[in-house]
Amino acid sequence: MPSTSKERGLRSGASWIVSAAPELQDQFLNELTEGELLALPFLFEFWAMEHQMPPEGDWRSWVIMGGRGAGKTRAGAEWVRAQVEGARPTDPGKAKRVALVGETFDQVREVMIFGDSGILACSPPDRRPEWEAGRKRLVWPNGAIATAHSAFDPEGLRGPQFDAAWVDELAKWKKGQETWDMLQFALRLGEKPQVCVTTTPRNVGVLKELLKAPSTVLTQAPTQANAANLAASFLEEVRTRYHGTRLGRQELDGVLLEDAEGALWTTAGLEDLRLRDMPDLDRIVVALDPATTSGSGADECGIIVAGVKMSGQPQDWRAVVLADCTVTGASPAGWARAAISAMEQYGADRLVAEINQGGQMVAEVLRQVDPLVPYKGVHASRGKVARAEPVAALYEQKRVRHVPGLDALEDQMCRMTVRGYEGQGSPDRVDALVWALHELMIEPAAKWRAPRVRSL
């Protein structure tokens, strides 16, 4: 057990100091020597958040994936310091030759080196490296060197060799795979060359392949994790504007949103269909894809609410996906209550349910909850992909919009491909979505266009 406030504070970090009583804060600061006080701002282990600290274990690549402003750049700069600095300013560190690789040379210089969270800002005066602009490199007092490289020039990494590298915004690089490959060949000095990758996630191959590698470790954090160091007005604005959107999940939550190859829907396409103004809807339905089992290991029971504005010809109709009320592990009575509750909440005209596996049981369960529920059972005569393709076509025509907050549904949609569903489990949310839009758009349009037979 630490015996003094100073020992306890240095071991516990800044979070303990912030939450400690004022008298303990004063005691901690008073127990520090002048040298310790001067060094404290540069003791990153004291100030760092959990996602900013290097993981333990034998890894080759450490990926810090987070939202905008989550502290990724500071973590990368401090990691470089930890590699090159020794116990004293002129003592050697673990690394002597470091590659600093960004999207452009300007990005390396202005963000990674001279930025507010860059290497120079993080370094104490007696250990601060010198920037040699003509040679595009930093030189530390102990002789360690870090050279700047642009991802627009992969061949610039052919020839140099390094024992460490810091890579920033890998997911933005236009020549990401080529530059990453050249860097791997250059990381050949020392006993265990390592690379720190700081990036906001994007659905790009080089990042996805890196995360799959057994030698890669990952830490993640949302923008909110670093709220204490961000403007309150910025946080309020981005929360208001992007909360519940896939762009928000990527840029603020730091979540990698993957689109399967050959997907019927894409992240970019769905983001472009975000609803701005709610129209007056002529009809609303709730679609139900019942689960055949219940309990913790059961499939989800897809429940989707959607509505349609049916003005003009069928090609002018517009649909809105209003809610995803899907439940997991519910009993038949549980998902029936959830579906009927969604009807009541949104004023739906009809409940549409697939009956391939449940058959008459689905209707009986629903009637037990509400004997008068307006119910329609539908039977799937075609496979999931064949049913989904006409609905995907409606999206391509920009005839369907989404309200914010449908993250789980949209994740499933982006994994539905022409070959089938490439996610885990069953795409129950997508199945319910398809039934809802068939009921609102496709089936009524087919009846509208059907030729009418004149009576003789």
Side-chain angles (χ1 to χ4, degrees):
M1 292 289 292
S3 57
T4 68
S5 176
K6 179 174 78 172
E7 291 172 347
R8 183 180 179 187
L10 291 174
R11 178 174 298 184
S12 302
S15 60
W16 177 82
I17 299 299
V18 170
S19 60
E23 58 270 19
L24 288 177
Q25 294 175 345
D26 291 340
Q27 182 182 350
F28 167 75
L29 294 173
N30 291 334
E31 288 176 358
L32 296 178
T33 66
E34 182 180 358
E36 289 170 337
L37 279 171
L38 292 173
L40 189 60
F42 302 101
L43 185 62
F44 190 58
E45 293 85 351
F46 179 80
W47 302 103
M49 294 174 283
E50 185 176 354
H51 70 275
Q52 294 178 307
M53 294 302 297
E56 297 180 357
D58 185 20
W59 50 266
R60 164 90 170 180
S61 302
W62 171 30
V63 178
I64 308 173
M65 200 162 68
R68 300 285 188 93
K72 303 184 298 295
T73 301
R74 177 68 185 272
E78 294 286 359
W79 182 80
V80 171
R81 278 191 58 206
Q83 303 311 299
V84 301
E85 292 181 6
R88 293 172 296 185
T90 57
D91 288 349
K94 292 183 290 185
K96 297 180 181 179
R97 296 292 181 270
V98 181
L100 304 176
V101 193
E103 185 179 15
T104 65
F105 281 120
D106 286 346
Q107 288 290 314
V108 176
R109 184 181 63 246
E110 299 303 324
V111 176
M112 302 171 72
I113 296 174
F114 285 94
D116 291 341
S117 299
I119 293 171
L120 294 179
C122 297
S123 300
D126 60 342
R127 299 165 185 262
R128 185 168 294 141
E130 294 290 332
W131 170 243
E132 297 182 354
R135 303 184 69 176
K136 296 179 180 176
R137 69 179 195 175
L138 288 171
V139 180
W140 273 264
N142 64 2
I145 295 172
T147 53
H149 299 269
S150 167
F152 275 97
D153 180 24
E155 293 299 309
L157 288 164
R158 187 185 294 275
Q161 52 186 356
F162 310 100
D163 46 16
W166 173 22
V167 163
D168 190 46
E169 294 297 356
L170 171 66
K172 287 177 57 183
W173 294 358
K174 302 300 183 184
K175 300 181 179 179
Q177 192 62 62
E178 302 96 311
T179 306
W180 179 258
D181 290 342
M182 288 298 100
L183 177 61
Q184 301 316 298
F185 288 119
L187 281 167
R188 56 180 184 262
L189 293 180
E191 295 183 3
K192 191 177 71 172
Q194 292 179 312
V195 56
C196 174
V197 179
T198 52
T199 189
T200 305
R202 284 190 179 181
N203 183 38
V204 294
V206 62
L207 178 59
K208 292 191 290 186
E209 290 302 314
L210 173 59
L211 293 175
K212 292 177 184 176
S215 58
T216 297
V217 293
L218 171 68
T219 58
Q220 290 180 270
T223 299
Q224 184 64 32
N226 197 31
N229 297 309
L230 300 173
S233 59
F234 161 77
L235 289 172
E236 181 179 358
E237 177 68 20
V238 295
R239 285 190 199 120
T240 301
R241 185 179 295 270
Y242 300 110
H243 174 71
T245 69
R246 287 177 68 81
L247 185 63
R249 293 188 68 205
Q250 174 180 284
E251 300 294 326
L252 300 179
D253 296 337
V255 176
L256 177 60
L257 304 175
E258 296 188 63
D259 299 342
E261 185 178 351
L264 298 179
W265 292 274
T266 66
T267 296
L270 291 173
E271 198 60 50
D272 196 40
L273 294 172
R274 197 70 57 202
L275 183 70
R276 299 293 186 264
D277 298 301
M278 179 67 71
D280 293 328
L281 299 173
D282 297 312
R283 189 172 179 229
I284 297 174
V285 301
V286 172
L288 169 68
D289 183 55
T292 56
T293 58
S294 60
S296 58
D299 287 336
E300 295 175 327
C301 174
I303 303 174
I304 299 296
V305 185
V308 66
K309 179 68 174 177
M310 304 179 75
S311 58
Q313 300 292 314
Q315 60 266 28
D316 299 321
W317 298 352
R318 296 294 183 266
V320 178
V321 182
L322 298 167
D324 179 359
C325 302
T326 296
V327 293
T328 303
S331 65
W335 51 250
R337 284 192 294 268
I340 292 173
S341 175
M343 287 192 69
E344 295 170 350
Q345 180 179 353
Y346 289 91
D349 308 292
R350 177 174 288 182
L351 176 58
V352 181
E354 182 180 325
I355 59 173
N356 277 48
Q357 299 185 63
Q360 186 62 29
M361 180 272 289
V362 176
E364 291 176 354
V365 172
L366 291 169
R367 300 291 186 203
Q368 288 173 8
V369 177
D370 183 354
L372 301 179
V373 61
Y375 161 76
K376 176 182 178 180
V378 289
H379 188 276
S381 59
R382 299 183 296 167
K384 294 180 186 294
V385 174
R387 294 199 308 273
E389 284 178 331
V391 173
L394 296 175
Y395 281 81
E396 290 181 14
Q397 297 162 5
K398 300 188 183 299
R399 295 173 59 192
V400 185
R401 300 281 175 177
H402 281 199
V403 300
L406 302 176
D407 305 336
L409 168 63
E410 292 172 353
D411 285 348
Q412 280 195 359
M413 294 171 71
C414 292
R415 293 178 179 273
M416 178 64 75
T417 77
V418 293
R419 299 174 301 277
Y421 183 60
E422 297 191 356
Q424 295 182 347
S426 177
D428 303 282
R429 299 169 194 261
V430 175
D431 285 343
L433 170 76
V434 167
W435 287 122
L437 294 178
H438 265 274
E439 175 70 18
L440 292 171
M441 300 274 279
I442 295 175
E443 186 176 316
K447 292 179 179 178
W448 179 290
R449 298 188 182 96
R452 298 180 181 180
V453 179
R454 292 177 59 187
S455 59
L456 297 177

